[in-house]
Amino acid sequence: MDLRDSPEEARFRAQLCAWLEENIPADPEPAMLAERWPYMRDFQQRLYRSGWIALSYPTQVGGQGLGPMEEAILSEELGRANAPTLLPLGHLGRPLLRYGTDEQRRRYLPPLLASDEIWCQGFSEPEAGSDLASLQTRAVRESGAWVLNGHKTWTSYGAFADFCLLLARTDPDVPRHRGISAFIVPLRTPGVTVRPIVLANGDEEFAEIFLDDVRIPEANMLGRPSDGWRIAMDVVNYERGAVETGYLPKFERYLFELAAVARTRAREPDRATLLALGEVAAALEVLRMHCLRTLSDRVSGAPPGPESSIDKLLMTAVEQKLTALSLGLLTAATTPGRAEWFDRYLYGRAGSIYGGTAQIQRNILAERLLGLPRSPG
Ligand SMILES: Cc1cc2nc3c(=O)[nH]c(=O)nc-3n(C[C@H](O)[C@H](O)[C@H](O)COP(=O)(O)OP(=O)(O)OC[C@H]3O[C@@H](n4cnc5c(N)ncnc54)[C@H](O)[C@@H]3O)c2cc1C
């Protein structure tokens, strides 16, 4: 398929670039989340108000009614323009669109897409990460309400969120994957305690969420009872996809930054540096080709599936290679930009954990795409 811009897409790209040139904040993105959060939210709200976000969502729920090509152009141009990081939307918005009732879509999607209400993802628990199906949080139906009890952890942006898309066990008597349901939990409900987890750098990016007899209306279930596993797999497939997350243009920009650093260090960079840069460039090219294949799947209407584990592995490899290379190039602690690259390096380590670890992605590839037998035990 020809993925070059059609005349309408080229026009769309040009208008977007003009908007970005006018609207990218002049001040750099603050390093600490407490200041970065309002900065990110403000930019995202302006994008939304100008019609540049939620492009492929239907207009009835606040989207622009466009398609995956426009979404891909948006993510390319945001990356190229070094725009502020966006708050995660797609992986939580898509399941609401797909499984939500009309009433749920009308109530929750417009403010989610506008970043007026913030959502988080309550899947992991202290004893349920890779083995998510072992989650222990319970939801029991009681006189017209669901009553939730349990403990979630590693919830990204939990301390800033208004709602949580949360998984809980509703039927303990069936095989583990089948007894799980998904819920829309307003975090200001009595019985919910959100406790931020402070990272080594002082950021409060994660939170633990404690649920003690939390009563939510029956209508707050997303999908039907026991749809939880299917919904969770949709969420993670969107979360893992390179086209969905728009990391490719960001990594391209990083590579150019590093090549520029290598050039300023020496007129003729040494062989080891050239080889390392070449290795990253090759890995990035593989990721780009894979993204083009994924984009053509999206254009032909296929939603993300288990092949998004390939995206996740390729993205993580590129990010970790790039950021490790940066530490070799920006050796002196006082080199301008080193602190930022060091943060990127540390955050890059998380790439092989969030959204399912690298080992879990390989298991998915082996079992679901290659059809290899499950390992015993
Ligand atoms: C930056 C970041 C953001 C996150 N955001 C969220 C969020 O918003 N919401 C949320 O719910 N969770 C979130 N998480 C949690 C994340 O989903 C879990 O950390 C992840 O699924 C791994 O689970 P775990 O930490 O319990 O590790 P474990 O499951 O205990 O795994 C420990 C190690 O054992 C390996 N392992 C486990 N099982 C297998 C197996 N079957 N085969 C091979 N190896 C295996 C793993 O690969 C890993 O190396 C986030 C994590 C990070 C790092």
Side-chain angles (χ1 to χ4, degrees):
M1 114 171 256
D2 185 353
L3 289 167
R4 283 172 301 190
D5 285 355
S6 66
E8 300 78 58
E9 285 157 5
R11 228 180 349 266
F12 174 87
R13 191 188 290 277
Q15 286 168 350
L16 169 64
C17 289
W19 188 91
L20 290 173
E21 209 168 308
E22 293 265 294
N23 288 281
I24 299 260
D27 338 329
E29 197 163 312
M32 298 304 292
L33 190 61
E35 295 91 51
R36 198 163 71 243
W37 182 261
Y39 174 97
M40 288 155 68
R41 189 171 181 172
D42 173 67
F43 179 69
Q44 192 146 334
Q45 287 176 328
R46 283 193 294 122
L47 264 178
Y48 181 79
R49 283 197 297 270
S50 306
W52 293 116
I53 215 166
L55 298 175
S56 60
Y57 283 79
T59 49
Q60 296 85 326
V61 295
Q64 296 295 324
L66 299 169
M69 286 301 285
E70 285 81 6
E71 290 281 11
I73 292 172
L74 173 69
S75 93
E76 255 174 52
E77 296 306 333
L78 287 171
R80 258 185 219 136
N82 196 10
T85 315
L86 297 190
L87 311 172
L89 273 187
H91 66 299
L92 297 172
R94 290 284 156 196
L96 276 172
L97 185 64
R98 180 160 180 200
Y99 296 95
T101 59
D102 285 347
E103 177 50 31
Q104 287 171 337
R105 288 187 205 155
R106 257 197 312 274
R107 162 62 189 87
Y108 297 113
L109 272 169
L112 179 152
L113 299 177
S115 307
D116 290 338
E117 287 175 347
I118 303 298
W119 282 64
C120 62
Q121 173 189 335
F123 291 6
S124 303
E125 298 182 1
E127 300 304 327
S130 301
D131 186 15
L132 186 58
S134 65
L135 61 86
Q136 298 295 317
T137 295
R138 290 289 311 275
V140 176
R141 210 193 296 243
E142 226 181 74
S143 35
W146 286 101
V147 180
L148 293 120
N149 280 285
H151 176 188
K152 297 288 171 180
T153 192
W154 306 124
T155 316
S156 296
Y157 306 117
F160 301 88
D162 304 292
F163 291 93
C164 183
L165 178 60
L166 186 136
L167 296 179
R169 188 165 301 288
T170 42
D171 188 348
D173 301 323
V174 294
R176 300 182 319 156
H177 296 76
R178 284 207 239 131
I180 297 171
S181 303
F183 295 92
I184 297 167
V185 180
L187 290 174
R188 311 282 178 268
T189 309
V192 176
T193 307
V194 178
R195 188 180 300 158
I197 299 174
V198 185
L199 306 187
N201 70 353
D203 263 350
E204 294 182 355
E205 182 170 328
F206 302 111
E208 289 181 276
I209 300 181
F210 299 89
L211 305 137
D212 292 303
D213 287 331
V214 175
R215 291 179 78 83
I216 56 169
E218 246 181 322
N220 280 31
M221 177 179 274
L222 182 65
R224 289 190 306 257
S226 302
D227 271 351
W229 191 255
R230 264 196 314 152
I231 294 175
M233 292 307 104
D234 262 22
V235 171
V236 293
N237 285 336
Y238 277 105
E239 191 183 8
R240 290 169 185 160
V243 164
E244 280 71 23
T245 50
Y247 278 7
L248 179 63
K250 180 166 92 173
F251 294 160
E252 283 171 348
R253 189 163 42 75
Y254 284 1
L255 178 63
F256 283 117
E257 274 180 38
L258 285 186
V261 171
R263 261 188 238 108
T264 53
R265 271 175 26 130
R267 213 140 59 91
E268 209 42 62
D270 60 87
R271 189 177 150 73
T273 305
L274 285 175
L275 278 176
L277 281 166
E279 198 187 321
V280 180
L284 198 54
E285 201 50 30
V286 174
L287 178 62
R288 187 202 321 282
M289 292 299 132
H290 183 72
C291 282
L292 290 178
R293 183 164 54 186
T294 309
L295 183 55
S296 80
D297 286 349
R298 288 301 163 276
V299 171
S300 57
E307 68 289 340
S308 63
S309 293
I310 304 175
D311 300 49
K312 180 78 197 312
L313 286 169
L314 293 176
M315 280 194 299
T316 305
V318 171
E319 184 171 22
Q320 293 183 349
K321 277 182 206 296
L322 261 173
T323 53
L325 175 59
S326 77
L327 297 192
L329 283 174
L330 301 158
T331 38
T334 50
T335 314
R338 189 177 195 277
E340 197 181 346
W341 272 104
F342 191 61
D343 278 351
R344 289 174 184 168
Y345 168 78
L346 289 180
Y347 207 86
R349 311 309 302 161
S352 33
I353 304 174
Y354 65 75
T357 67
Q359 289 79 8
I360 294 303
Q361 308 308 328
R362 291 193 180 93
N363 286 353
I364 294 170
L365 294 185
E367 290 162 16
R368 310 236 350 242
L369 292 183
L370 301 175
L372 298 175
R374 273 171 184 272
S375 52

